[in-house]
Amino acid sequence: MSGYATVNGNTNVIDDFLDIFKEFYNSVKEKFTRNDEMPLDEFINKYSEDKKFLNDLESIKSSLNEISEMMEQINFDYDEYYNFASIKRMITYIVDNLEKYFHYSSFIVLLLKNFNDLIVKERQLDDYKEEYEKFDAFLYEQEDFFYTEIFDDDSKYDNAIDEVTNILG
């Protein structure tokens, strides 16, 4: 694990984290990837009333929180923790809105796949820094897509902001 992360010399925490994250990723990939052959309307009808499916979506959020807490204990050499925090925010936002989830479930899997590849597969490579930089650029592009195409800016405070600006200005 040279040059990847440390927890006061304890590799068990890192190994446990990697095992848990890999299990989480595989679970999400298996359970929540929408079959492209199934029309979106059919997919929505099938799962929007499925209590087990909805509970599984809630478990995504709790799993993300648990993984984040584990990551807080690890001293990564780069910004892996902050990258994960960004991924967690995007996924949580999508999972909180069932319609968005149905439209962007593949985006969730894409984010998790690339993060999984980085921390589980690439971390042992000698050129990890280069792989991390590629991932960082990828994540920046995904964040741009998320905030321009998926995220709905709630403009309910726009008028209040304009009023405060006029008062101060």
Side-chain angles (χ1 to χ4, degrees), residues 87-99:
I87 290 169
K88 178 183 159 189
R89 276 191 304 278
M90 290 186 281
I91 291 174
T92 300
Y93 177 82
I94 293 169
V95 170
D96 278 342
N97 181 318
L98 202 52
E99 184 178 337

Side-chain angles (χ1 to χ4, degrees), residues 31-72:
K31 289 181 184 176
F32 298 105
T33 302
R34 183 170 72 88
N35 182 348
D36 290 337
E37 295 173 8
M38 182 185 293
L40 184 60
D41 291 342
E42 185 179 330
F43 184 77
I44 292 172
N45 288 336
K46 181 177 179 178
Y47 290 108
S48 63
E49 301 298 322
D50 184 335
K51 298 288 185 200
K52 181 181 178 334
F53 176 79
L54 297 174
N55 286 338
D56 286 345
L57 284 178
E58 282 299 314
S59 74
I60 288 177
K61 293 190 297 187
S62 62
S63 295
L64 289 170
N65 287 331
E66 289 173 26
I67 291 168
S68 182
E69 288 173 11
M70 286 186 82
M71 289 182 78
E72 287 178 8

Side-chain angles (χ1 to χ4, degrees), residues 46-150:
K46 181 177 179 178
Y47 290 108
S48 63
E49 301 298 322
D50 184 335
K51 298 288 185 200
K52 181 181 178 334
F53 176 79
L54 297 174
N55 286 338
D56 286 345
L57 284 178
E58 282 299 314
S59 74
I60 288 177
K61 293 190 297 187
S62 62
S63 295
L64 289 170
N65 287 331
E66 289 173 26
I67 291 168
S68 182
E69 288 173 11
M70 286 186 82
M71 289 182 78
E72 287 178 8
Q73 300 175 37
I74 301 171
N75 299 319
F76 291 97
D77 287 344
Y78 301 101
D79 288 332
E80 292 93 339
Y81 174 75
Y82 299 105
N83 293 144
F84 183 76
S86 177
I87 290 169
K88 178 183 159 189
R89 276 191 304 278
M90 290 186 281
I91 291 174
T92 300
Y93 177 82
I94 293 169
V95 170
D96 278 342
N97 181 318
L98 202 52
E99 184 178 337
K100 286 196 184 302
Y101 172 77
F102 289 131
H103 287 283
Y104 298 107
S105 61
S106 59
F107 181 75
I108 292 171
V109 173
L110 177 70
L111 290 172
L112 292 175
K113 177 198 179 309
N114 281 278
F115 191 74
N116 179 69
D117 289 349
L118 176 74
I119 64 168
V120 174
K121 295 178 182 176
E122 308 294 347
R123 70 182 180 86
Q124 303 224 0
L125 298 176
D126 290 335
D127 62 347
Y128 179 77
K129 181 179 180 182
E130 293 173 30
E131 294 303 319
Y132 174 78
E133 289 170 355
K134 288 178 193 175
F135 171 80
D136 205 35
F138 160 81
L139 184 58
Y140 180 78
E141 290 173 8
Q142 299 314 306
E143 289 169 331
D144 186 49
F145 174 78
F146 173 79
Y147 286 108
T148 58
E149 302 297 325
I150 299 173

